Amino acid sequence: MFAEAQSDPALSKEVFEAEETRLRTALLKAQYRQLKREDRGLLIVVAGIDGAGKGATINLLNEWMDPRHIHTLAFGEPTHDEQERPPLWRYWNEMPAKGKTGIVFGSWYLPLLREAARKKPRAQRLTEYVDTINRFEASLTADGIQIIKLWYHLSAKAQAKRTKNLLSNPETAWQVTEADRKVQKKYDRICQAGDTVIRLLNAPHAPWTVIPSADEHMRAVCTAQTVLHALEQRPRAPKSQVFTASSETRRRSPDRFAQLDYSATLDKDDYESELSQLQGRLAHAVRSKAFAERSLVLAFEGQDAAGKGGAIRRVTHALDLRQVDIHPISAPSHHELAHPYLWRFWRRLPRQGRIAIFDRSWYGRVLVERVEGLASSAAWRRAYGEINDFEHQLAGHGAIVLKFWLAVTPAEQLKRFRERERSPFKNFKITPDDWRNREKWNLYTQAANDMLARTDTDDAPWHLIAANDKRHARVQVLRDIVTAMEKTL
Amino acid sequence: MFAEAQSDPALSKEVFEAEETRLRTALLKAQYRQLKREDRGLLIVVAGIDGAGKGATINLLNEWMDPRHIHTLAFGEPTHDEQERPPLWRYWNEMPAKGKTGIVFGSWYLPLLREAARKKPRAQRLTEYVDTINRFEASLTADGIQIIKLWYHLSAKAQAKRTKNLLSNPETAWQVTEADRKVQKKYDRICQAGDTVIRLLNAPHAPWTVIPSADEHMRAVCTAQTVLHALEQRPRAPKSQVFTASSETRRRSPDRFAQLDYSATLDKDDYESELSQLQGRLAHAVRSKAFAERSLVLAFEGQDAAGKGGAIRRVTHALDLRQVDIHPISAPSHHELAHPYLWRFWRRLPRQGRIAIFDRSWYGRVLVERVEGLASSAAWRRAYGEINDFEHQLAGHGAIVLKFWLAVTPAEQLKRFRERERSPFKNFKITPDDWRNREKWNLYTQAANDMLARTDTDDAPWHLIAANDKRHARVQVLRDIVTAMEKTL
């Protein structure tokens, strides 16, 4: 893998200067062309041997390209804030908008590289890391974020020489940190780890390039050429179906709505007593010590006028307002559209000890966006796997994830629509869109059934609730939350 | 202040139901009207006696208005993240966009209320808090954010009765927290504190309203009426000149540019040696333990082609990329324009132990926005005070704030423009705007002189640097940073 770079090739000053003019001119042109595209961004992952000049190269790219449109995303040890969310949160959170270029330093490869550099790497950990990275990169590239990965390499001899030179001059000695000295001793293991990682994750849609780094001219030219090539090339879609086999998403789903008992009701006295008791248990659960290291993520979906808002208010009544965030989800803004689909949900993940309630959610991709043709067939079919993966990461980090579908019958919906229209202060809730969606009842039902069949997981179960009777539905929602909380905590 | 509320007035069910219809209908209309306005938002600050039903009222507003456009901002104890920035950061950071309504719970009044509720409030602390709040609210309201403040009040008797009622029923007893029981004992002191705070900060542009809260109907109607009144009213601009006397901003400023020695140069050998030494000292300073509890904020301004980018790269060369964020500042986006002017800078403040470099900065308000007429005369005149206040808060929280103006002469600028035009990879840096700005040289110089005269403070000093010789300027920038860092740490 490193054979060429190991020989520490160099470029003469003359060759470099000629190349510099050509590359800078071409890079700027390509960068400006990319800026005009709202469907495409570039992430450059920077890794490699310490002392190979990664920092200098990032400075160089900022000098050679227009730095106003480059984001340098350099990550160190996770902050408190970051530790309270799944490991990939920090990268989602800082994801540059499409059109822009992001340079990632301290990337999602760090834990994998550390594991691979152990004396005895643990096979299972390696597999987990590789799997997570594979899905992450496949999801990003499928959604318009091109990824290239650069490994800066030089020989052990060149590394030692560079350190010696810097140390010999008191003016430059400060550039050698304590960490740099340690790394030298581990040179072989780091090379070995790099080799493993590159072999395991060198996908055509997110390729690795080894940059010979002993000579700064060679390093600069190779870096610029690789970036230029990526900007000029049409990005490649992930080949492997990382998320779902297409046969899977074409299978007919059972109709779970037909199996519901819509006649369930609850009388007013029972309702008030049960509701209060359940709210009390929920209040107790979220104040418990065990919950301080977890979080609660609730997603509410359902037909229009199924009573999501009323159910959510019965939940929040039991909660301290300082502990909960309610996120009403509607069509993405221009700003949100310039990012991968799940970005706006990743950014809203609660820290530990907190609750996030989504009034409509990331399931819009496989419901409204599918039915209304707002997402391509490939995009919404892929979304089942992406969503399962998203929720798996949440649950894996200790979040309790529950999803509710409040289900009403067409007749009950019609009754509520009419009531809303008649009320001077509820008619804002009914729009021509609601009537249009109602005409597509069967399409939405099919989409919902497919969703239930493909995303009802142990990590994040669906609760399908008959909601023709509001009292019954509200108590059922509370009961499901309380049961899950008490079981987990 | 609380005379009326103290009598715990109530509303009959009949009156309430008639009012409910009227108020909900009117609130929704007013809310939708507000949504269409991009120049105006509403913040509702909620405070008052514990157990007065603040939480229930927030739920009610979310039910009575369209909750998709209401943001409930409930703050508890500051998080790690928040503690690493000045106290007002959390409120700036969560500021809803114009058009929207924000309900603030756990607001900027908390520290003041706590102080006022002490057995012996410390006069100086009170004054500081009042002053900070005054400036904050004046700045927001002048920038289109209307503020109303609600104090929920009930008598001690009603408070005790409410607690007793809740406790007597096992289904509702959970609603009474440990904190609630303590608060009862402190009833008088909290009333006293509320009275003080309301008297001190009841400005016409950000008025307090006392809401009688013993009866839930009365509480709901008074809240809705107050919010409705605010939405229907034309917001009032802050009357008092909180920030600057207009005479002050009309005074002629000295021409500091004329006093610079533009002939200063540095030869290449001296440059390289001095630069390396200074970079070493900077690297040492930012790695020091003392810096872990501080932060560094650098703002770079200057004429076009004065060499800001090159100077910044010489600074970052000394820094660990994971420690620094570079923020190139250009015209605000649509999203940023929907917030008060300083919002986008507040959001970019570094946490402790970190460095933020602004390539152009918040001074755009009194430079390009003034000269090009993008900000009203009132807005940019007010900005001097707002900026001084912003930087004062930064410095007060331990940030080291330095501002650089790189100054070139018209002749040197022309030379650099021509060079840029000739270079195939530098001509992106020169646009028709640059030539147009050059024609307004004198206007920009006057704006810069006014800025230097009004914002060169101990908290955040300006460094005016002759930059006709790039080497001289770069070394001078580094030297100023190193001197300030070493002096402070």
Side-chain angles (χ1 to χ4, degrees), chain A residues 390-421:
Chain A
F390 170 56
E391 294 172 350
H392 179 69
Q393 290 183 62
L394 276 173
H397 195 258
I400 300 167
V401 186
L402 301 175
K403 303 170 306 200
F404 294 93
W405 183 286
L406 302 191
V408 289
T409 56
E412 177 64 22
Q413 187 189 56
L414 184 63
K415 198 180 121 211
R416 294 187 187 177
F417 276 16
R418 296 261 183 249
E419 276 169 16
R420 287 185 171 185
E421 281 186 330

Coordinates of all heavy atoms in Angstrom, one line a residue, chain A residues 390-421:
Chain A
F390 N -29.7 4.9 12.1 CA -29.8 6.1 12.9 C -30.3 5.7 14.3 O -29.7 6.1 15.4 CB -30.7 7.1 12.2 CG -31.1 8.3 13.0 CD1 -30.1 9.2 13.6 CD2 -32.4 8.7 13.2 CE1 -30.5 10.3 14.3 CE2 -32.8 9.8 13.8 CZ -31.9 10.6 14.4
E391 N -31.4 5.0 14.3 CA -32.1 4.7 15.6 C -31.2 3.7 16.4 O -31.2 3.7 17.6 CB -33.5 4.1 15.4 CG -34.4 5.2 14.8 CD -35.8 4.7 14.4 OE1 -35.9 3.4 14.3 OE2 -36.7 5.5 14.1
H392 N -30.5 2.8 15.7 CA -29.6 1.8 16.3 C -28.5 2.6 17.0 O -28.1 2.2 18.1 CB -29.1 0.9 15.2 CG -28.1 -0.1 15.7 ND1 -28.5 -1.2 16.6 CD2 -26.8 -0.3 15.6 CE1 -27.4 -1.9 16.9 NE2 -26.4 -1.4 16.3
Q393 N -28.0 3.6 16.4 CA -26.9 4.4 17.0 C -27.4 5.1 18.3 O -26.7 5.2 19.3 CB -26.3 5.4 16.0 CG -25.5 4.8 14.9 CD -24.9 5.9 14.0 OE1 -24.1 6.7 14.4 NE2 -25.3 5.9 12.7
L394 N -28.6 5.6 18.2 CA -29.2 6.3 19.3 C -29.4 5.3 20.5 O -29.0 5.6 21.6 CB -30.7 6.8 18.9 CG -30.7 8.1 18.3 CD1 -32.1 8.4 17.8 CD2 -30.3 9.2 19.3
A395 N -30.0 4.2 20.2 CA -30.2 3.2 21.2 C -28.9 2.7 21.8 O -28.8 2.5 23.0 CB -31.1 2.0 20.7
G396 N -28.0 2.5 20.9 CA -26.6 2.0 21.3 C -26.0 2.9 22.3 O -25.1 2.6 23.1
H397 N -26.4 4.2 22.2 CA -25.8 5.2 23.1 C -26.6 5.4 24.3 O -26.4 6.4 25.1 CB -25.5 6.5 22.3 CG -24.6 7.5 23.0 ND1 -25.1 8.5 23.7 CD2 -23.3 7.5 23.2 CE1 -24.1 9.2 24.3 NE2 -23.0 8.6 23.9
G398 N -27.7 4.6 24.5 CA -28.5 4.7 25.8 C -29.8 5.4 25.6 O -30.5 5.6 26.6
A399 N -30.1 5.9 24.5 CA -31.4 6.6 24.3 C -32.5 5.6 24.3 O -32.4 4.5 23.7 CB -31.4 7.4 23.0
I400 N -33.6 6.0 24.9 CA -34.9 5.2 24.8 C -35.7 5.8 23.6 O -36.0 7.0 23.7 CB -35.7 5.2 26.1 CG1 -34.8 4.7 27.2 CG2 -37.0 4.5 26.0 CD1 -35.3 4.9 28.6
V401 N -35.9 5.0 22.6 CA -36.5 5.5 21.4 C -37.8 4.9 21.2 O -37.9 3.6 21.1 CB -35.6 5.3 20.1 CG1 -36.2 6.0 18.9 CG2 -34.2 5.8 20.4
L402 N -38.9 5.7 21.2 CA -40.3 5.1 21.0 C -40.9 5.9 19.8 O -40.8 7.1 19.7 CB -41.1 5.3 22.2 CG -40.6 4.6 23.5 CD1 -41.5 5.0 24.7 CD2 -40.5 3.1 23.3
K403 N -41.7 5.1 19.0 CA -42.4 5.7 17.9 C -43.9 5.4 17.9 O -44.2 4.3 18.2 CB -41.7 5.2 16.6 CG -40.2 5.5 16.6 CD -39.5 4.8 15.4 CE -39.7 3.3 15.3 NZ -38.6 2.6 14.5
F404 N -44.7 6.4 17.8 CA -46.1 6.3 17.9 C -46.8 6.6 16.5 O -46.5 7.6 15.9 CB -46.7 7.2 18.9 CG -46.2 6.8 20.3 CD1 -45.1 7.4 20.9 CD2 -46.9 5.8 21.0 CE1 -44.7 7.0 22.1 CE2 -46.5 5.4 22.3 CZ -45.3 6.0 22.8
W405 N -47.7 5.7 16.1 CA -48.6 6.1 15.0 C -50.0 6.1 15.6 O -50.5 5.1 16.1 CB -48.5 5.1 13.9 CG -49.4 5.5 12.7 CD1 -50.7 5.5 12.7 CD2 -48.9 6.1 11.5 NE1 -51.2 6.0 11.5 CE2 -50.1 6.4 10.8 CE3 -47.7 6.4 11.0 CZ2 -50.1 7.0 9.5 CZ3 -47.7 7.0 9.7 CH2 -48.8 7.3 9.0
L406 N -50.6 7.3 15.6 CA -52.0 7.4 16.0 C -52.9 7.2 14.8 O -52.8 8.0 13.8 CB -52.2 8.8 16.6 CG -51.3 9.2 17.8 CD1 -51.8 10.4 18.5 CD2 -51.3 8.0 18.8
A407 N -53.7 6.2 14.9 CA -54.5 5.8 13.7 C -55.9 6.1 13.9 O -56.6 5.7 14.8 CB -54.3 4.3 13.5
V408 N -56.5 6.9 12.9 CA -57.9 7.1 12.9 C -58.5 6.5 11.6 O -57.7 6.3 10.6 CB -58.3 8.6 12.9 CG1 -58.0 9.2 14.3 CG2 -57.6 9.4 11.9
T409 N -59.8 6.3 11.6 CA -60.4 5.7 10.4 C -60.8 6.9 9.5 O -60.9 8.1 10.0 CB -61.7 5.0 10.7 OG1 -62.6 5.9 11.5 CG2 -61.4 3.7 11.6
P410 N -61.0 6.7 8.2 CA -61.4 7.8 7.3 C -62.7 8.5 7.8 O -62.7 9.8 7.7 CB -61.7 7.1 6.0 CG -60.9 5.8 6.0 CD -60.9 5.4 7.5
A411 N -63.6 7.8 8.3 CA -64.8 8.5 8.8 C -64.6 9.4 10.0 O -65.1 10.5 10.0 CB -65.9 7.4 9.2
E412 N -63.8 8.9 10.9 CA -63.4 9.8 12.1 C -62.7 11.0 11.6 O -62.9 12.1 12.1 CB -62.6 8.9 13.1 CG -62.2 9.7 14.3 CD -63.3 10.2 15.2 OE1 -64.4 9.7 15.1 OE2 -63.1 11.2 15.9
Q413 N -61.7 10.8 10.7 CA -61.0 12.0 10.2 C -61.9 13.0 9.6 O -61.8 14.2 9.8 CB -59.9 11.5 9.2 CG -59.0 12.7 8.8 CD -58.1 12.3 7.6 OE1 -58.6 12.0 6.5 NE2 -56.8 12.5 7.8
L414 N -62.8 12.5 8.8 CA -63.8 13.5 8.1 C -64.5 14.3 9.2 O -64.7 15.5 9.1 CB -64.7 12.7 7.2 CG -65.7 13.6 6.4 CD1 -64.9 14.5 5.4 CD2 -66.7 12.7 5.7
K415 N -65.0 13.6 10.2 CA -65.7 14.3 11.3 C -64.8 15.4 11.9 O -65.3 16.5 12.1 CB -66.1 13.2 12.3 CG -67.2 13.6 13.3 CD -67.5 12.5 14.3 CE -67.3 13.0 15.7 NZ -66.8 12.0 16.7
R416 N -63.6 15.0 12.2 CA -62.7 16.0 12.8 C -62.4 17.2 11.8 O -62.3 18.3 12.3 CB -61.4 15.3 13.3 CG -61.7 14.3 14.4 CD -60.4 13.8 15.0 NE -60.7 12.7 15.9 CZ -59.8 12.0 16.6 NH1 -58.5 12.2 16.4 NH2 -60.2 11.0 17.4
F417 N -62.2 16.9 10.6 CA -61.9 17.9 9.6 C -63.1 18.9 9.6 O -62.9 20.1 9.6 CB -61.8 17.4 8.2 CG -60.4 16.9 7.8 CD1 -59.5 16.6 8.8 CD2 -60.1 16.6 6.5 CE1 -58.2 16.2 8.5 CE2 -58.8 16.1 6.2 CZ -57.9 15.9 7.2
R418 N -64.3 18.4 9.6 CA -65.5 19.2 9.6 C -65.6 20.1 10.9 O -65.9 21.3 10.8 CB -66.8 18.4 9.5 CG -66.9 17.6 8.2 CD -67.8 18.3 7.2 NE -67.9 17.5 6.0 CZ -67.4 17.9 4.8 NH1 -66.7 19.0 4.6 NH2 -67.6 17.1 3.7
E419 N -65.3 19.4 12.0 CA -65.3 20.2 13.3 C -64.3 21.3 13.3 O -64.6 22.4 13.7 CB -64.9 19.3 14.4 CG -66.1 18.5 15.0 CD -65.6 17.4 16.0 OE1 -64.4 17.4 16.4 OE2 -66.4 16.5 16.2
R420 N -63.1 21.0 12.7 CA -62.1 22.0 12.7 C -62.5 23.2 11.8 O -62.3 24.3 12.1 CB -60.8 21.4 12.1 CG -60.1 20.5 13.1 CD -58.8 20.0 12.6 NE -58.0 19.4 13.7 CZ -56.8 18.9 13.6 NH1 -56.1 19.0 12.5 NH2 -56.2 18.3 14.6
E421 N -63.1 22.9 10.7 CA -63.5 24.0 9.8 C -64.5 24.9 10.5 O -64.6 26.1 10.2 CB -64.1 23.3 8.5 CG -63.1 22.9 7.5 CD -63.7 22.4 6.2 OE1 -64.9 21.9 6.2 OE2 -63.0 22.5 5.2

